[in-house]
């Protein structure tokens, strides 16, 4: 029974860890990419050091080879002169230099192999990092679009609004504008009606032409027509 509870607990912890990793996948990916980039930078520095050491070994090899050639000429001259003691001393120096030259040559070969391997690994790592970075940017864009479509942006960033909220705001704004336009129109009609009323009063008192015919105008017109036909 105890073993079962331990297994259940481990399963719960694993499931919770996976849920946290899923919810924070982009943050985790960002940090992993930063770590990979830092490791890549360290590898580049290591390669630069290896190249510098290879150059040093190359210079050492060339210098040693030149000294061997120079001593060989000198020892040959000593042998020709019969100076065996000095010639032997020179030969011993040549032997030591040749050993040093051979060691430099071996180091050069080792560095050349290691540099080639490092260059190949760095090229592969750089390509993978570039691909990861492109995938990260695409994943972040996709996540932002999905949050926008689901209206979850506010939950992720409380200071930002959703499209739905913006649409509701626009709807309320349009409703207020329509109400304001209707009120303005009603005021214009009231102002127009007030002006017409005053004009009618003035016309009724005989100030200016009448605005509309009256019964007297109709009777006068009809009498005129009757007189014309008679």
């Amino acid at each position: 029974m105890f073993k079962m509870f331990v297994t259940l607990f481990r399963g719960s912890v694993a499931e919770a860890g996976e849920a946290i990793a899923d919810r924070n996948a982009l943050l985790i990916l960002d940090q992993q990419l930063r770590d990979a980039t830092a490791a890549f930078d360290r590898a580049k520095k290591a390669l630069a050091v290896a190249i510098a050491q290879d150059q040093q070994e190359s210079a050492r090899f060339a210098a040693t080879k030149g000294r061997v050639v120079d001593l060989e000429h000198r020892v040959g001259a000593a042998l020709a002169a019969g100076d065996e003691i000095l010639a032997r001393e020179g030969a011993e120096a040549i032997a030591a230099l040749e050993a040093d030259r051979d060691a430099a040559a071996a180091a050069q070969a080792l560095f050349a192999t290691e540099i080639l391997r490092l260059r190949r690994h760095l090229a592969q790592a750089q390509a993978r990092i570039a691909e990861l970075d492109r995938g990260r940017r695409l994943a972040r864009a996709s996540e932002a679009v999905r949050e926008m479509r689901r209206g979850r942006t506010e939950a992720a960033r409380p200071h930002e609004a959703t499209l739905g909220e913006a649409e509701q705001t626009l709807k309320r704004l349009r409703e207020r504008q329509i109400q304001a336009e209707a009120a303005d129109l009603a005021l214009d009609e009231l102002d127009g009606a007030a002006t017409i009323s005053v004009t009618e009063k003035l016309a009724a008192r005989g100030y200016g032409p009448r605005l509309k015919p009256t019964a007297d105008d109709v009777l006068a017109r009809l009498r005129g027509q009757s007189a014309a036909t008679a």
Side-chain angles (χ1 to χ4, degrees):
M1 181 66 71
F2 177 74
K3 185 177 180 179
M4 182 181 66
F5 280 118
V6 171
T7 303
L8 178 62
F9 174 74
R10 292 174 60 193
S12 300
V13 171
E15 185 176 354
E18 290 178 358
I20 293 174
D22 290 340
R23 287 195 300 270
N24 299 278
L26 280 175
L27 292 176
I28 293 172
L29 179 60
D30 287 343
Q31 185 58 47
Q32 289 172 336
L33 189 57
R34 283 192 291 268
D35 293 341
T37 303
F40 177 77
D41 291 338
R42 290 194 298 270
K44 282 201 303 184
K45 291 179 182 178
L47 177 59
V49 171
I51 292 173
Q53 291 176 341
D54 179 60
Q55 292 173 346
Q56 291 176 354
E57 291 297 332
S58 179
R60 177 185 169 190
F61 175 80
T64 303
K65 186 177 179 180
R67 291 177 62 189
V68 168
V69 172
D70 180 67
L71 278 175
E72 284 178 344
H73 288 299
R74 295 179 188 278
V75 170
L79 287 173
D83 194 343
E84 293 288 338
I85 297 176
L86 191 56
R88 174 170 291 276
E89 185 177 348
E92 291 174 352
I94 289 174
L97 286 173
E98 286 179 341
D100 191 38
R101 179 198 62 194
D102 294 341
Q108 269 191 297
L110 178 63
F111 277 122
T113 302
E114 186 65 15
I115 287 171
L116 182 61
R117 185 183 67 84
L118 286 174
R119 286 185 185 276
R120 184 170 60 253
H121 288 334
L122 280 176
Q124 294 173 351
Q126 188 173 21
R128 292 173 66 185
I129 288 174
E131 184 64 25
L132 278 171
D133 187 52
R134 285 191 292 269
R136 179 186 63 85
R137 293 197 301 268
L138 181 60
R140 186 168 292 280
S142 299
E143 185 69 16
V145 171
R146 189 171 73 253
E147 288 180 353
M148 179 187 66
R149 293 180 63 184
R150 293 183 179 179
R152 290 170 51 191
T153 307
E154 186 180 14
R157 298 178 178 87
H159 62 280
E160 295 182 2
T162 65
L163 284 177
E165 291 174 338
E167 290 169 347
Q168 291 297 322
T169 301
L170 177 59
K171 181 180 178 181
R172 290 193 298 270
L173 177 60
R174 290 299 302 153
E175 290 175 351
R176 287 197 297 271
Q177 289 176 340
I178 291 172
Q179 292 175 357
E181 290 172 359
D184 291 340
L185 182 60
L187 287 175
D188 291 341
E189 290 176 351
L190 289 175
D191 291 340
T195 302
I196 291 173
S197 177
V198 172
T199 304
E200 288 177 346
K201 289 180 180 179
L202 290 171
R205 294 291 182 91
Y207 304 120
R210 293 180 178 177
L211 296 179
K212 56 184 178 179
T214 63
D216 292 335
D217 295 331
V218 173
L219 290 174
R221 185 179 71 250
L222 292 175
R223 287 192 184 100
Q225 291 175 355
S226 296
T229 54

